């Protein structure tokens, strides 16, 4: 209430983040540097107020994973896991960071934990498992996991994902 608490509103008002959009998994950070920096600044302010928020920790981890600063993403993933151990997202984020650090066995354990927690909605985690198997040259396992986790007709499926799926299928002997 800006009229009753103008100082508080001025201090904590979100100017670049829509809190209803920001909390969704589909929220993507802006690509323009100035916009991105403004959003990151607001995320850091939110973390100062509530350091255990899932959305804020998820987005800060995404920032560091996108910037290839994977070790800096780990604490944010670990916060999600510590506070909300029942959520698969924290394990997926940690798996992404560990994969980026080349710690493939630990990443696989995180992705598998995410799968076990996700239940019927876990198809999206099979893709991560499959891509990790592909990186390790385990084509049959990669093909099996990618088949479960990838919708080849979805607009969210990238050309790199399709290439990985095709490579796994080829080397697993699934193409004739």
């Amino acid at each position: 209430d800006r009229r009753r608490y103008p100082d508080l509103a001025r201090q904590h008002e979100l100017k670049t983040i829509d809190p209803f959009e920001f909390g969704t998994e589909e929220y993507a950070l802006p690509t323009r540097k100035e916009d991105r920096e403004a959003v990151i600044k607001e995320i850091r302010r939110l973390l100062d107020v509530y350091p255990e928020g899932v959305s804020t920790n998820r987005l800060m981890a995404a920032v560091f994973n996108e910037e290839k600063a994977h070790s800096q993403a780990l604490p944010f993933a670990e916060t999600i896991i510590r506070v909300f151990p029942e959520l698969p997202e924290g394990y997926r984020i940690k798996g992404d960071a560990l994969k980026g650090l080349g710690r493939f066995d630990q990443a696989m354990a995180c992705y598998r934990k995410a799968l076990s927690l996700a239940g019927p909605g876990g198809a999206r985690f099979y893709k991560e498992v499959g891509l990790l198997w592909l990186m390790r040259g385990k084509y049959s396992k990669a093909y099996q996991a990618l088949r479960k986790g990838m919708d080849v007709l979805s607009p969210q499926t990238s050309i790199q994902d399709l290439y990985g799926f095709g490579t796994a299928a080829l080397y697993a002997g699934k193409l004739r």
Side-chain angles (χ1 to χ4, degrees), residues 5-15 42 45 49:
Y5 305 102
D7 293 336
L8 190 62
R10 227 181 345 274
Q11 182 182 357
H12 296 289
E13 180 180 26
L14 297 176
K15 294 180 173 86
E42 284 200 346
R45 278 187 29 228
V49 174

Side-chain angles (χ1 to χ4, degrees), residues 76-95:
F76 296 101
E78 288 166 354
T79 296
I80 296 169
I81 292 168
R82 179 177 46 79
V83 178
F84 300 100
E86 72 281 4
L87 293 180
E89 196 60 26
Y91 295 96
R92 196 245 342 131
I93 294 166
K94 186 174 181 178

Side-chain angles (χ1 to χ4, degrees), residues 5-173:
Y5 305 102
D7 293 336
L8 190 62
R10 227 181 345 274
Q11 182 182 357
H12 296 289
E13 180 180 26
L14 297 176
K15 294 180 173 86
T16 61
I17 298 173
D18 177 349
F20 298 103
E21 181 183 316
F22 155 79
T24 66
E25 283 187 34
E26 292 79 31
Y27 180 80
L29 291 163
T31 54
R32 209 177 105 210
K33 185 179 180 183
E34 296 81 20
D35 296 339
R36 186 180 181 92
E37 287 172 357
V39 167
I40 291 169
K41 184 177 177 181
E42 284 200 346
I43 293 169
R44 289 188 185 280
R45 278 187 29 228
L46 288 169
L47 283 168
D48 288 342
V49 174
Y50 181 52
E52 298 174 337
V54 173
S55 297
T56 48
N57 280 284
R58 178 179 53 80
L59 284 172
M60 284 308 297
V63 166
F64 289 119
N65 277 332
E66 285 177 17
E67 294 173 352
K68 309 288 187 238
H70 302 292
S71 60
Q72 291 178 279
L74 283 172
F76 296 101
E78 288 166 354
T79 296
I80 296 169
I81 292 168
R82 179 177 46 79
V83 178
F84 300 100
E86 72 281 4
L87 293 180
E89 196 60 26
Y91 295 96
R92 196 245 342 131
I93 294 166
K94 186 174 181 178
D96 291 347
L98 291 167
K99 181 173 69 173
L101 292 169
R103 294 161 52 186
F104 300 128
D105 290 338
Q106 292 171 305
M108 183 65 79
C110 288
Y111 291 142
R112 286 186 170 158
K113 180 68 175 182
L115 267 169
S116 73
L117 293 171
R124 61 195 167 128
F125 299 113
Y126 277 108
K127 179 179 138 187
E128 301 303 332
V129 169
L131 293 173
L132 194 53
W133 281 125
L134 184 65
M135 290 173 67
R136 299 179 82 185
K138 306 289 184 182
Y139 300 110
S140 184
K141 289 181 177 186
Y143 175 76
Q144 291 169 9
L146 290 171
R147 234 180 116 196
K148 291 178 184 177
M150 191 179 298
D151 177 359
V152 296
L153 300 178
S154 169
Q156 281 79 33
T157 301
S158 71
I159 192 73
Q160 292 87 357
D161 293 341
L162 292 171
Y163 180 80
F165 184 62
T167 300
L170 180 67
Y171 286 106

